[in-house]
Amino acid sequence: MCGRFVSTTTPQDLVGLLGELRWDPAEALAPSWNVAPTDPVPAVLERVDRETGELLRQFRPLRWGLVPSWSKDVSGGARMINARSETVHEKPAFRKAFTARRCVIPADGYFEWREVPAEADRKKFKQPYFLSTGSVMLMAGLYEFWRDRTLAEDDPAAWLATATIITTDATDTAGRVHDRMPLTIAPDDVATWLAPDVTDATELHHLLRRPADGALRVRAVSTAVNSVRSNGPELLDGAEDPLGLAD
């Protein structure tokens, strides 16, 4: 699974990669080197403007952990940070969003962990690794809107926008660290992936790509990243690799 990632890409950075974007400067997210479930995450999506009828490509924050529109409350969102590509078009929680509400979530890379066995002078612990392509990854995502029916419809707090990241079996270097990995969308395929009128599941599945074909760069990093309270570029500094999994 992809349970933590790094996101320092700005909307301005993405304009050069994805073309014109609309965003609200008041919703801009600060760079994060330790994005965790239920955090706001940056997403690019396309929505029809209600006033003009124009299809607009937008950059907006979404809460990580998808809450289906039919959910009674938001408590299950933290468990749905990932959607398996093998079943995303079938599962009730994801199939509607897969058809109509897709997004890309830019990331610098993501973290995975492997357990290091105990030895005479230390207890067992989880060693974190940072996996990346060396450039921005456009992770394939889905988003949903959930309505809090205890609040008036025109209350801004009545609506919650959430997202999930699509994953698949890990291969090559990524598979050495964890058995799952996030899927990405190539820049040339973003327009098709985001288009609300593209609904064919087979066509959509063909757009999903393993980043770097699975041959990701792997770096052991400090266990400081294990705490969601830790944040900063120093989390990406290299560390000793007790399992020999890094490049």
Side-chain angles (χ1 to χ4, degrees):
M1 65 181 291
C2 174
R4 302 270 191 88
F5 66 94
V6 177
S7 177
T8 65
T9 306
T10 67
Q12 293 88 344
D13 295 332
L14 289 171
V15 167
L17 184 64
L18 301 178
E20 183 180 355
L21 289 175
R22 302 284 183 89
W23 70 88
D24 182 351
E27 294 183 334
L29 297 175
S32 177
W33 289 266
N34 199 359
V35 181
T38 74
D39 282 351
V41 298
V44 176
L45 52 91
E46 290 186 353
R47 301 281 296 173
V48 174
D49 186 278
R50 291 184 179 181
E51 296 182 0
T52 67
E54 181 183 5
L55 184 64
L56 300 177
R57 185 170 292 183
Q58 308 171 22
F59 180 93
R60 61 183 296 176
L62 305 173
R63 192 176 105 156
W64 190 17
L66 190 135
V67 179
S69 60
W70 41 261
S71 295
K72 293 182 179 179
D73 56 50
V74 302
S75 60
R79 297 191 301 274
M80 288 197 283
I81 59 171
N82 294 156
R84 296 176 67 90
S85 63
E86 299 88 341
T87 56
V88 68
H89 60 289
E90 301 171 337
K91 292 291 186 181
F94 305 122
R95 64 189 179 197
K96 190 173 181 180
F98 187 66
T99 298
R101 285 179 288 279
R102 298 175 299 275
C103 63
V104 292
I105 298 172
D108 302 37
Y110 66 101
F111 297 104
E112 292 292 4
W113 284 259
R114 282 286 296 272
E115 186 172 286
V116 179
E119 293 187 353
D121 58 343
R122 72 172 186 223
K123 297 180 179 179
K124 66 179 181 181
F125 68 98
K126 289 188 175 182
Q127 173 62 48
Y129 293 86
F130 180 64
L131 294 87
S132 67
T133 64
S135 60
V136 64
M137 296 166 52
L138 299 175
M139 297 191 294
L142 310 175
Y143 67 98
E144 268 290 8
F145 295 102
W146 180 81
R147 163 85 189 281
D148 184 347
R149 299 192 179 279
T150 66
L151 301 174
E153 186 172 357
D154 59 355
D155 185 335
W159 292 93
L160 178 66
T162 62
T164 189
I165 295 168
I166 300 176
T167 66
T168 192
D169 289 335
T171 57
D172 297 337
T173 51
R176 296 203 305 261
V177 182
H178 197 274
D179 63 353
R180 302 292 292 180
M181 67 188 301
L183 284 163
T184 58
I185 303 296
D188 289 346
D189 292 332
V190 166
T192 304
W193 176 253
L194 298 184
D197 59 349
V198 177
T199 60
D200 182 75
T202 300
E203 179 179 1
L204 293 168
H205 275 288
H206 284 160
L207 300 177
L208 298 168
R209 299 281 185 271
R210 287 181 173 86
D213 293 326
L216 292 164
R217 303 176 184 180
V218 179
R219 179 163 72 249
V221 294
S222 167
T223 55
V225 75
N226 295 1
S227 170
V228 296
R229 293 185 295 273
S230 299
N231 209 319
E234 67 279 1
L235 295 180
L236 300 185
D237 291 344
E240 181 181 352
D241 180 12
L243 297 175
L245 300 179
D247 296 335

